[in-house]
Amino acid sequence: MTATSRMRLTIERGAEFWNDSCSLTELQDAVDHGATGATSNPVIVSSVIKAEPRVWTPVLDRIVAANPAATEDEIAWLLIEEVGRQAAAILAPVHERTKGRQGFLSMQVSPKYYANAARMVEHGKSLAALAPNIAIKVPSTAAGVAAAEELVAAGINVNATVSFTVSQAVTVAEAFERGLDRAAKSGADMSRLHPWMTLMVGRLDDLLGRVMVKEQIAIDPGYLAWAGIAVFKRAHQIFQERGFRATLLAAAYRHHLHWSQLIGPGVVLTMPYAWWKQFEASDIEVEETLDRPVRAEVVDTLRRKFKDFGLAFDEGALAPAAFASYGASVHTLNQFLGGYQELLGLVRDRMLAPR
């Protein structure tokens, strides 16, 4: 008898498994292994365009030829939209089978709009119109929180990203509650409306690693691997206690603990293709670990050594006005903006190519 795969065991223990990639071949493989959703962002889109030129260069060339007067930004978004449509189509059978509960592709609004709620709402509505199973990613900045509420109130599923702290998770969840209540009053189909709150667990670990080097902090480096996990588990506890309707989603994988320590009912684990394939091939036991607390010694040490960990772990430690300037937010927004600029460069190369 063939052993049950580790991704299937993860699902059996209550967690959803998503593929953190918009490569069509990778996404199809993930769906075949039980994935019920996918996420993307400018860095991911740029990476797949570079990695699969035989697939996407002809598509890009057709878009350029059909839009001779378009700007680089306009061509880039036409390309992103085409990637999104094709990826959403792969997930469509899951969406139909689950009657709209699963099978969503998360598409991110332009990273340039991180401070402008109105532009995020406008762009989010445009992207959501591409397919019925598209959710909109907005950053958990103050403006993004406002945009998230408006989009959910309009009946659009939202996945809040660029999030690393309990403060962001709770603030966004409260905004989602307001949006869901408004959507219900306006007659939206609530069975298909279920927003997600992403915590980028590995990026918090990365931040503390950078601070450790910069400030020459003496600590067992192994403790850093638990920072994002501790924040996620604390946020999950609060979500359960307060009955928030949003689903927590773990992203930004750096090691197996970001999977093996967050397995349990009611959460989503969105993993890059290479990571979940590595987990599949491992001999790590798949257990329900979500409600197991991180050792108090680890949490206390991280809080004592790193101000940034306290800001991430303690509810209310970070005000919404400071969400965008939190260290991990700055680093991530810059990376997303850089990925978008890289994509514009790829588009420019094709626009200027000899015909």
Side-chain angles (χ1 to χ4, degrees), residues 315-352:
E315 181 185 356
L318 201 64
F323 288 170
S325 59
Y326 182 65
S329 298
V330 173
H331 191 270
T332 302
L333 287 170
N334 276 325
Q335 188 177 32
F336 284 176
L337 287 161
Y340 180 64
Q341 291 301 317
E342 186 174 25
L343 179 59
L344 291 182
L346 296 174
V347 168
R348 186 181 310 120
D349 287 344
R350 299 313 303 168
M351 292 176 73
L352 297 176

PDB file of all heavy atoms in Angstrom, residues 315-352:
ATOM      1  N   GLU A 315       0.052  42.191  21.372  1.00  0.00           N
ATOM      2  CA  GLU A 315      -1.074  42.876  20.748  1.00  0.00           C
ATOM      3  C   GLU A 315      -1.092  44.342  21.160  1.00  0.00           C
ATOM      4  O   GLU A 315      -0.914  44.673  22.334  1.00  0.00           O
ATOM      5  CB  GLU A 315      -2.393  42.223  21.154  1.00  0.00           C
ATOM      6  CG  GLU A 315      -3.596  42.875  20.508  1.00  0.00           C
ATOM      7  CD  GLU A 315      -4.913  42.316  20.985  1.00  0.00           C
ATOM      8  OE1 GLU A 315      -4.899  41.348  21.782  1.00  0.00           O
ATOM      9  OE2 GLU A 315      -5.965  42.850  20.576  1.00  0.00           O
ATOM     10  N   GLY A 316      -1.284  45.227  20.183  1.00  0.00           N
ATOM     11  CA  GLY A 316      -1.348  46.655  20.458  1.00  0.00           C
ATOM     12  C   GLY A 316      -0.004  47.331  20.569  1.00  0.00           C
ATOM     13  O   GLY A 316       0.060  48.548  20.749  1.00  0.00           O
ATOM     14  N   ALA A 317       1.077  46.564  20.439  1.00  0.00           N
ATOM     15  CA  ALA A 317       2.407  47.162  20.559  1.00  0.00           C
ATOM     16  C   ALA A 317       2.757  48.023  19.359  1.00  0.00           C
ATOM     17  O   ALA A 317       3.635  48.885  19.432  1.00  0.00           O
ATOM     18  CB  ALA A 317       3.462  46.070  20.741  1.00  0.00           C
ATOM     19  N   LEU A 318       2.074  47.786  18.240  1.00  0.00           N
ATOM     20  CA  LEU A 318       2.346  48.518  17.010  1.00  0.00           C
ATOM     21  C   LEU A 318       1.046  49.168  16.544  1.00  0.00           C
ATOM     22  O   LEU A 318       0.053  48.485  16.314  1.00  0.00           O
ATOM     23  CB  LEU A 318       2.871  47.559  15.942  1.00  0.00           C
ATOM     24  CG  LEU A 318       3.668  48.128  14.767  1.00  0.00           C
ATOM     25  CD1 LEU A 318       4.969  48.751  15.253  1.00  0.00           C
ATOM     26  CD2 LEU A 318       3.948  47.052  13.734  1.00  0.00           C
ATOM     27  N   ALA A 319       1.058  50.494  16.430  1.00  0.00           N
ATOM     28  CA  ALA A 319      -0.128  51.216  15.974  1.00  0.00           C
ATOM     29  C   ALA A 319      -0.247  51.123  14.459  1.00  0.00           C
ATOM     30  O   ALA A 319       0.762  51.002  13.757  1.00  0.00           O
ATOM     31  CB  ALA A 319      -0.045  52.682  16.402  1.00  0.00           C
ATOM     32  N   PRO A 320      -1.460  51.191  13.916  1.00  0.00           N
ATOM     33  CA  PRO A 320      -1.632  51.104  12.462  1.00  0.00           C
ATOM     34  C   PRO A 320      -0.781  52.100  11.691  1.00  0.00           C
ATOM     35  O   PRO A 320      -0.280  51.777  10.604  1.00  0.00           O
ATOM     36  CB  PRO A 320      -3.130  51.369  12.267  1.00  0.00           C
ATOM     37  CG  PRO A 320      -3.751  50.842  13.521  1.00  0.00           C
ATOM     38  CD  PRO A 320      -2.766  51.182  14.609  1.00  0.00           C
ATOM     39  N   ALA A 321      -0.588  53.291  12.231  1.00  0.00           N
ATOM     40  CA  ALA A 321       0.215  54.287  11.534  1.00  0.00           C
ATOM     41  C   ALA A 321       1.666  53.840  11.381  1.00  0.00           C
ATOM     42  O   ALA A 321       2.385  54.342  10.503  1.00  0.00           O
ATOM     43  CB  ALA A 321       0.172  55.613  12.284  1.00  0.00           C
ATOM     44  N   ALA A 322       2.102  52.880  12.210  1.00  0.00           N
ATOM     45  CA  ALA A 322       3.482  52.396  12.162  1.00  0.00           C
ATOM     46  C   ALA A 322       3.625  51.084  11.403  1.00  0.00           C
ATOM     47  O   ALA A 322       4.741  50.569  11.277  1.00  0.00           O
ATOM     48  CB  ALA A 322       4.021  52.227  13.590  1.00  0.00           C
ATOM     49  N   PHE A 323       2.517  50.541  10.882  1.00  0.00           N
ATOM     50  CA  PHE A 323       2.608  49.246  10.190  1.00  0.00           C
ATOM     51  C   PHE A 323       3.587  49.304   9.018  1.00  0.00           C
ATOM     52  O   PHE A 323       4.397  48.398   8.827  1.00  0.00           O
ATOM     53  CB  PHE A 323       1.229  48.815   9.675  1.00  0.00           C
ATOM     54  CG  PHE A 323       0.266  48.366  10.737  1.00  0.00           C
ATOM     55  CD1 PHE A 323      -1.072  48.149  10.412  1.00  0.00           C
ATOM     56  CD2 PHE A 323       0.670  48.166  12.045  1.00  0.00           C
ATOM     57  CE1 PHE A 323      -1.981  47.721  11.372  1.00  0.00           C
ATOM     58  CE2 PHE A 323      -0.233  47.752  13.022  1.00  0.00           C
ATOM     59  CZ  PHE A 323      -1.563  47.532  12.683  1.00  0.00           C
ATOM     60  N   ALA A 324       3.511  50.366   8.210  1.00  0.00           N
ATOM     61  CA  ALA A 324       4.347  50.446   7.005  1.00  0.00           C
ATOM     62  C   ALA A 324       5.814  50.656   7.333  1.00  0.00           C
ATOM     63  O   ALA A 324       6.682  50.279   6.536  1.00  0.00           O
ATOM     64  CB  ALA A 324       3.851  51.570   6.094  1.00  0.00           C
ATOM     65  N   SER A 325       6.115  51.247   8.485  1.00  0.00           N
ATOM     66  CA  SER A 325       7.505  51.555   8.829  1.00  0.00           C
ATOM     67  C   SER A 325       8.145  50.487   9.715  1.00  0.00           C
ATOM     68  O   SER A 325       9.321  50.620  10.082  1.00  0.00           O
ATOM     69  CB  SER A 325       7.589  52.917   9.525  1.00  0.00           C
ATOM     70  OG  SER A 325       6.804  52.938  10.705  1.00  0.00           O
ATOM     71  N   TYR A 326       7.416  49.442  10.056  1.00  0.00           N
ATOM     72  CA  TYR A 326       8.006  48.322  10.785  1.00  0.00           C
ATOM     73  C   TYR A 326       9.079  47.693   9.898  1.00  0.00           C
ATOM     74  O   TYR A 326       8.923  47.595   8.672  1.00  0.00           O
ATOM     75  CB  TYR A 326       6.925  47.310  11.140  1.00  0.00           C
ATOM     76  CG  TYR A 326       7.408  46.137  11.942  1.00  0.00           C
ATOM     77  CD1 TYR A 326       7.897  46.297  13.230  1.00  0.00           C
ATOM     78  CD2 TYR A 326       7.374  44.845  11.413  1.00  0.00           C
ATOM     79  CE1 TYR A 326       8.348  45.215  13.975  1.00  0.00           C
ATOM     80  CE2 TYR A 326       7.805  43.756  12.145  1.00  0.00           C
ATOM     81  CZ  TYR A 326       8.298  43.941  13.422  1.00  0.00           C
ATOM     82  OH  TYR A 326       8.747  42.863  14.150  1.00  0.00           O
ATOM     83  N   GLY A 327      10.168  47.265  10.501  1.00  0.00           N
ATOM     84  CA  GLY A 327      11.336  46.823   9.733  1.00  0.00           C
ATOM     85  C   GLY A 327      11.041  45.787   8.670  1.00  0.00           C
ATOM     86  O   GLY A 327      11.512  45.888   7.525  1.00  0.00           O
ATOM     87  N   ALA A 328      10.262  44.764   9.006  1.00  0.00           N
ATOM     88  CA  ALA A 328       9.949  43.724   8.026  1.00  0.00           C
ATOM     89  C   ALA A 328       9.056  44.261   6.912  1.00  0.00           C
ATOM     90  O   ALA A 328       9.148  43.819   5.757  1.00  0.00           O
ATOM     91  CB  ALA A 328       9.275  42.539   8.723  1.00  0.00           C
ATOM     92  N   SER A 329       8.191  45.232   7.244  1.00  0.00           N
ATOM     93  CA  SER A 329       7.333  45.833   6.215  1.00  0.00           C
ATOM     94  C   SER A 329       8.167  46.614   5.212  1.00  0.00           C
ATOM     95  O   SER A 329       7.958  46.510   3.998  1.00  0.00           O
ATOM     96  CB  SER A 329       6.303  46.770   6.864  1.00  0.00           C
ATOM     97  OG  SER A 329       5.448  46.084   7.739  1.00  0.00           O
ATOM     98  N   VAL A 330       9.093  47.412   5.717  1.00  0.00           N
ATOM     99  CA  VAL A 330       9.951  48.212   4.835  1.00  0.00           C
ATOM    100  C   VAL A 330      10.719  47.299   3.884  1.00  0.00           C
ATOM    101  O   VAL A 330      10.773  47.533   2.671  1.00  0.00           O
ATOM    102  CB  VAL A 330      10.918  49.074   5.660  1.00  0.00           C
ATOM    103  CG1 VAL A 330      11.930  49.773   4.747  1.00  0.00           C
ATOM    104  CG2 VAL A 330      10.154  50.105   6.486  1.00  0.00           C
ATOM    105  N   HIS A 331      11.320  46.243   4.437  1.00  0.00           N
ATOM    106  CA  HIS A 331      12.119  45.330   3.628  1.00  0.00           C
ATOM    107  C   HIS A 331      11.249  44.638   2.575  1.00  0.00           C
ATOM    108  O   HIS A 331      11.641  44.509   1.406  1.00  0.00           O
ATOM    109  CB  HIS A 331      12.768  44.292   4.539  1.00  0.00           C
ATOM    110  CG  HIS A 331      13.819  43.468   3.873  1.00  0.00           C
ATOM    111  ND1 HIS A 331      13.548  42.287   3.223  1.00  0.00           N
ATOM    112  CD2 HIS A 331      15.155  43.654   3.734  1.00  0.00           C
ATOM    113  CE1 HIS A 331      14.660  41.770   2.728  1.00  0.00           C
ATOM    114  NE2 HIS A 331      15.649  42.578   3.023  1.00  0.00           N
ATOM    115  N   THR A 332      10.050  44.197   2.961  1.00  0.00           N
ATOM    116  CA  THR A 332       9.176  43.471   2.048  1.00  0.00           C
ATOM    117  C   THR A 332       8.600  44.380   0.973  1.00  0.00           C
ATOM    118  O   THR A 332       8.557  44.013  -0.210  1.00  0.00           O
ATOM    119  CB  THR A 332       8.040  42.789   2.835  1.00  0.00           C
ATOM    120  OG1 THR A 332       8.617  41.902   3.805  1.00  0.00           O
ATOM    121  CG2 THR A 332       7.127  41.997   1.909  1.00  0.00           C
ATOM    122  N   LEU A 333       8.137  45.574   1.364  1.00  0.00           N
ATOM    123  CA  LEU A 333       7.617  46.512   0.366  1.00  0.00           C
ATOM    124  C   LEU A 333       8.692  46.874  -0.653  1.00  0.00           C
ATOM    125  O   LEU A 333       8.422  46.950  -1.858  1.00  0.00           O
ATOM    126  CB  LEU A 333       7.089  47.768   1.051  1.00  0.00           C
ATOM    127  CG  LEU A 333       5.767  47.597   1.814  1.00  0.00           C
ATOM    128  CD1 LEU A 333       5.481  48.831   2.656  1.00  0.00           C
ATOM    129  CD2 LEU A 333       4.607  47.328   0.865  1.00  0.00           C
ATOM    130  N   ASN A 334       9.908  47.085  -0.179  1.00  0.00           N
ATOM    131  CA  ASN A 334      11.007  47.385  -1.106  1.00  0.00           C
ATOM    132  C   ASN A 334      11.271  46.215  -2.042  1.00  0.00           C
ATOM    133  O   ASN A 334      11.534  46.408  -3.236  1.00  0.00           O
ATOM    134  CB  ASN A 334      12.275  47.733  -0.330  1.00  0.00           C
ATOM    135  CG  ASN A 334      12.327  49.182   0.107  1.00  0.00           C
ATOM    136  OD1 ASN A 334      11.854  50.066  -0.605  1.00  0.00           O
ATOM    137  ND2 ASN A 334      12.884  49.441   1.272  1.00  0.00           N
ATOM    138  N   GLN A 335      11.172  44.999  -1.525  1.00  0.00           N
ATOM    139  CA  GLN A 335      11.394  43.833  -2.379  1.00  0.00           C
ATOM    140  C   GLN A 335      10.278  43.694  -3.413  1.00  0.00           C
ATOM    141  O   GLN A 335      10.533  43.389  -4.580  1.00  0.00           O
ATOM    142  CB  GLN A 335      11.485  42.563  -1.533  1.00  0.00           C
ATOM    143  CG  GLN A 335      11.911  41.347  -2.360  1.00  0.00           C
ATOM    144  CD  GLN A 335      12.078  40.107  -1.517  1.00  0.00           C
ATOM    145  OE1 GLN A 335      11.387  39.927  -0.514  1.00  0.00           O
ATOM    146  NE2 GLN A 335      12.987  39.234  -1.919  1.00  0.00           N
ATOM    147  N   PHE A 336       9.040  43.921  -2.992  1.00  0.00           N
ATOM    148  CA  PHE A 336       7.921  43.851  -3.933  1.00  0.00           C
ATOM    149  C   PHE A 336       8.045  44.935  -5.005  1.00  0.00           C
ATOM    150  O   PHE A 336       7.808  44.686  -6.193  1.00  0.00           O
ATOM    151  CB  PHE A 336       6.598  44.015  -3.193  1.00  0.00           C
ATOM    152  CG  PHE A 336       6.159  42.781  -2.431  1.00  0.00           C
ATOM    153  CD1 PHE A 336       5.012  42.810  -1.652  1.00  0.00           C
ATOM    154  CD2 PHE A 336       6.887  41.607  -2.479  1.00  0.00           C
ATOM    155  CE1 PHE A 336       4.598  41.690  -0.957  1.00  0.00           C
ATOM    156  CE2 PHE A 336       6.493  40.479  -1.777  1.00  0.00           C
ATOM    157  CZ  PHE A 336       5.332  40.525  -1.014  1.00  0.00           C
ATOM    158  N   LEU A 337       8.413  46.129  -4.586  1.00  0.00           N
ATOM    159  CA  LEU A 337       8.602  47.212  -5.554  1.00  0.00           C
ATOM    160  C   LEU A 337       9.756  46.903  -6.499  1.00  0.00           C
ATOM    161  O   LEU A 337       9.687  47.170  -7.701  1.00  0.00           O
ATOM    162  CB  LEU A 337       8.837  48.535  -4.825  1.00  0.00           C
ATOM    163  CG  LEU A 337       7.583  49.125  -4.152  1.00  0.00           C
ATOM    164  CD1 LEU A 337       7.986  50.150  -3.096  1.00  0.00           C
ATOM    165  CD2 LEU A 337       6.668  49.757  -5.185  1.00  0.00           C
ATOM    166  N   GLY A 338      10.816  46.309  -5.952  1.00  0.00           N
ATOM    167  CA  GLY A 338      11.947  45.921  -6.791  1.00  0.00           C
ATOM    168  C   GLY A 338      11.566  44.831  -7.777  1.00  0.00           C
ATOM    169  O   GLY A 338      11.989  44.857  -8.938  1.00  0.00           O
ATOM    170  N   GLY A 339      10.760  43.866  -7.320  1.00  0.00           N
ATOM    171  CA  GLY A 339      10.301  42.811  -8.216  1.00  0.00           C
ATOM    172  C   GLY A 339       9.439  43.359  -9.335  1.00  0.00           C
ATOM    173  O   GLY A 339       9.528  42.904 -10.484  1.00  0.00           O
ATOM    174  N   TYR A 340       8.631  44.349  -8.993  1.00  0.00           N
ATOM    175  CA  TYR A 340       7.793  44.969 -10.023  1.00  0.00           C
ATOM    176  C   TYR A 340       8.655  45.709 -11.039  1.00  0.00           C
ATOM    177  O   TYR A 340       8.409  45.626 -12.252  1.00  0.00           O
ATOM    178  CB  TYR A 340       6.796  45.921  -9.365  1.00  0.00           C
ATOM    179  CG  TYR A 340       5.889  46.622 -10.354  1.00  0.00           C
ATOM    180  CD1 TYR A 340       4.998  45.904 -11.137  1.00  0.00           C
ATOM    181  CD2 TYR A 340       5.935  47.998 -10.517  1.00  0.00           C
ATOM    182  CE1 TYR A 340       4.164  46.530 -12.043  1.00  0.00           C
ATOM    183  CE2 TYR A 340       5.114  48.642 -11.424  1.00  0.00           C
ATOM    184  CZ  TYR A 340       4.230  47.909 -12.189  1.00  0.00           C
ATOM    185  OH  TYR A 340       3.418  48.532 -13.091  1.00  0.00           O
ATOM    186  N   GLN A 341       9.665  46.431 -10.565  1.00  0.00           N
ATOM    187  CA  GLN A 341      10.563  47.126 -11.484  1.00  0.00           C
ATOM    188  C   GLN A 341      11.321  46.139 -12.373  1.00  0.00           C
ATOM    189  O   GLN A 341      11.552  46.409 -13.556  1.00  0.00           O
ATOM    190  CB  GLN A 341      11.551  47.998 -10.705  1.00  0.00           C
ATOM    191  CG  GLN A 341      10.921  49.188 -10.024  1.00  0.00           C
ATOM    192  CD  GLN A 341      10.219  50.113 -11.006  1.00  0.00           C
ATOM    193  OE1 GLN A 341      10.736  50.405 -12.086  1.00  0.00           O
ATOM    194  NE2 GLN A 341       9.026  50.580 -10.643  1.00  0.00           N
ATOM    195  N   GLU A 342      11.672  44.993 -11.818  1.00  0.00           N
ATOM    196  CA  GLU A 342      12.335  43.956 -12.621  1.00  0.00           C
ATOM    197  C   GLU A 342      11.389  43.453 -13.710  1.00  0.00           C
ATOM    198  O   GLU A 342      11.811  43.232 -14.856  1.00  0.00           O
ATOM    199  CB  GLU A 342      12.774  42.804 -11.719  1.00  0.00           C
ATOM    200  CG  GLU A 342      13.603  41.756 -12.429  1.00  0.00           C
ATOM    201  CD  GLU A 342      14.144  40.712 -11.472  1.00  0.00           C
ATOM    202  OE1 GLU A 342      13.542  40.503 -10.410  1.00  0.00           O
ATOM    203  OE2 GLU A 342      15.178  40.109 -11.807  1.00  0.00           O
ATOM    204  N   LEU A 343      10.121  43.289 -13.363  1.00  0.00           N
ATOM    205  CA  LEU A 343       9.143  42.868 -14.359  1.00  0.00           C
ATOM    206  C   LEU A 343       9.003  43.921 -15.454  1.00  0.00           C
ATOM    207  O   LEU A 343       8.924  43.588 -16.645  1.00  0.00           O
ATOM    208  CB  LEU A 343       7.788  42.626 -13.690  1.00  0.00           C
ATOM    209  CG  LEU A 343       6.634  42.201 -14.607  1.00  0.00           C
ATOM    210  CD1 LEU A 343       6.967  40.902 -15.334  1.00  0.00           C
ATOM    211  CD2 LEU A 343       5.350  42.058 -13.816  1.00  0.00           C
ATOM    212  N   LEU A 344       8.998  45.191 -15.072  1.00  0.00           N
ATOM    213  CA  LEU A 344       8.942  46.256 -16.075  1.00  0.00           C
ATOM    214  C   LEU A 344      10.146  46.188 -17.010  1.00  0.00           C
ATOM    215  O   LEU A 344      10.028  46.461 -18.207  1.00  0.00           O
ATOM    216  CB  LEU A 344       8.879  47.630 -15.400  1.00  0.00           C
ATOM    217  CG  LEU A 344       7.592  47.984 -14.651  1.00  0.00           C
ATOM    218  CD1 LEU A 344       7.694  49.398 -14.092  1.00  0.00           C
ATOM    219  CD2 LEU A 344       6.368  47.851 -15.543  1.00  0.00           C
ATOM    220  N   GLY A 345      11.298  45.823 -16.464  1.00  0.00           N
ATOM    221  CA  GLY A 345      12.481  45.675 -17.311  1.00  0.00           C
ATOM    222  C   GLY A 345      12.316  44.561 -18.330  1.00  0.00           C
ATOM    223  O   GLY A 345      12.717  44.705 -19.497  1.00  0.00           O
ATOM    224  N   LEU A 346      11.718  43.442 -17.912  1.00  0.00           N
ATOM    225  CA  LEU A 346      11.463  42.347 -18.846  1.00  0.00           C
ATOM    226  C   LEU A 346      10.490  42.782 -19.938  1.00  0.00           C
ATOM    227  O   LEU A 346      10.662  42.452 -21.114  1.00  0.00           O
ATOM    228  CB  LEU A 346      10.895  41.148 -18.083  1.00  0.00           C
ATOM    229  CG  LEU A 346      11.800  40.488 -17.045  1.00  0.00           C
ATOM    230  CD1 LEU A 346      11.029  39.422 -16.272  1.00  0.00           C
ATOM    231  CD2 LEU A 346      13.024  39.868 -17.706  1.00  0.00           C
ATOM    232  N   VAL A 347       9.478  43.540 -19.540  1.00  0.00           N
ATOM    233  CA  VAL A 347       8.512  44.047 -20.508  1.00  0.00           C
ATOM    234  C   VAL A 347       9.188  45.001 -21.482  1.00  0.00           C
ATOM    235  O   VAL A 347       8.985  44.929 -22.707  1.00  0.00           O
ATOM    236  CB  VAL A 347       7.351  44.748 -19.779  1.00  0.00           C
ATOM    237  CG1 VAL A 347       6.487  45.535 -20.759  1.00  0.00           C
ATOM    238  CG2 VAL A 347       6.512  43.731 -19.020  1.00  0.00           C
ATOM    239  N   ARG A 348      10.018  45.884 -20.961  1.00  0.00           N
ATOM    240  CA  ARG A 348      10.713  46.868 -21.797  1.00  0.00           C
ATOM    241  C   ARG A 348      11.579  46.162 -22.840  1.00  0.00           C
ATOM    242  O   ARG A 348      11.642  46.590 -24.015  1.00  0.00           O
ATOM    243  CB  ARG A 348      11.561  47.788 -20.938  1.00  0.00           C
ATOM    244  CG  ARG A 348      12.223  48.941 -21.679  1.00  0.00           C
ATOM    245  CD  ARG A 348      13.060  49.784 -20.717  1.00  0.00           C
ATOM    246  NE  ARG A 348      12.285  50.128 -19.544  1.00  0.00           N
ATOM    247  CZ  ARG A 348      12.617  49.789 -18.299  1.00  0.00           C
ATOM    248  NH1 ARG A 348      13.703  49.064 -18.063  1.00  0.00           N
ATOM    249  NH2 ARG A 348      11.859  50.154 -17.280  1.00  0.00           N
ATOM    250  N   ASP A 349      12.261  45.116 -22.430  1.00  0.00           N
ATOM    251  CA  ASP A 349      13.115  44.383 -23.363  1.00  0.00           C
ATOM    252  C   ASP A 349      12.314  43.872 -24.574  1.00  0.00           C
ATOM    253  O   ASP A 349      12.784  43.924 -25.715  1.00  0.00           O
ATOM    254  CB  ASP A 349      13.779  43.200 -22.658  1.00  0.00           C
ATOM    255  CG  ASP A 349      14.888  43.627 -21.706  1.00  0.00           C
ATOM    256  OD1 ASP A 349      15.339  44.787 -21.813  1.00  0.00           O
ATOM    257  OD2 ASP A 349      15.281  42.817 -20.861  1.00  0.00           O
ATOM    258  N   ARG A 350      11.115  43.393 -24.315  1.00  0.00           N
ATOM    259  CA  ARG A 350      10.292  42.871 -25.418  1.00  0.00           C
ATOM    260  C   ARG A 350       9.675  44.000 -26.226  1.00  0.00           C
ATOM    261  O   ARG A 350       9.495  43.876 -27.444  1.00  0.00           O
ATOM    262  CB  ARG A 350       9.182  41.953 -24.876  1.00  0.00           C
ATOM    263  CG  ARG A 350       9.688  40.727 -24.134  1.00  0.00           C
ATOM    264  CD  ARG A 350      10.784  39.991 -24.861  1.00  0.00           C
ATOM    265  NE  ARG A 350      10.389  39.565 -26.212  1.00  0.00           N
ATOM    266  CZ  ARG A 350      11.232  39.115 -27.123  1.00  0.00           C
ATOM    267  NH1 ARG A 350      12.549  39.053 -26.860  1.00  0.00           N
ATOM    268  NH2 ARG A 350      10.796  38.739 -28.306  1.00  0.00           N
ATOM    269  N   MET A 351       9.331  45.101 -25.577  1.00  0.00           N
ATOM    270  CA  MET A 351       8.772  46.238 -26.305  1.00  0.00           C
ATOM    271  C   MET A 351       9.787  46.839 -27.269  1.00  0.00           C
ATOM    272  O   MET A 351       9.436  47.323 -28.346  1.00  0.00           O
ATOM    273  CB  MET A 351       8.285  47.317 -25.322  1.00  0.00           C
ATOM    274  CG  MET A 351       7.071  46.896 -24.504  1.00  0.00           C
ATOM    275  SD  MET A 351       6.583  48.120 -23.265  1.00  0.00           S
ATOM    276  CE  MET A 351       5.843  49.394 -24.340  1.00  0.00           C
ATOM    277  N   LEU A 352      11.067  46.779 -26.898  1.00  0.00           N
ATOM    278  CA  LEU A 352      12.136  47.369 -27.709  1.00  0.00           C
ATOM    279  C   LEU A 352      12.814  46.357 -28.617  1.00  0.00           C
ATOM    280  O   LEU A 352      13.722  46.714 -29.392  1.00  0.00           O
ATOM    281  CB  LEU A 352      13.180  48.025 -26.806  1.00  0.00           C
ATOM    282  CG  LEU A 352      12.692  49.192 -25.946  1.00  0.00           C
ATOM    283  CD1 LEU A 352      13.801  49.684 -25.029  1.00  0.00           C
ATOM    284  CD2 LEU A 352      12.184  50.331 -26.808  1.00  0.00           C
TER     285      LEU A 352
END
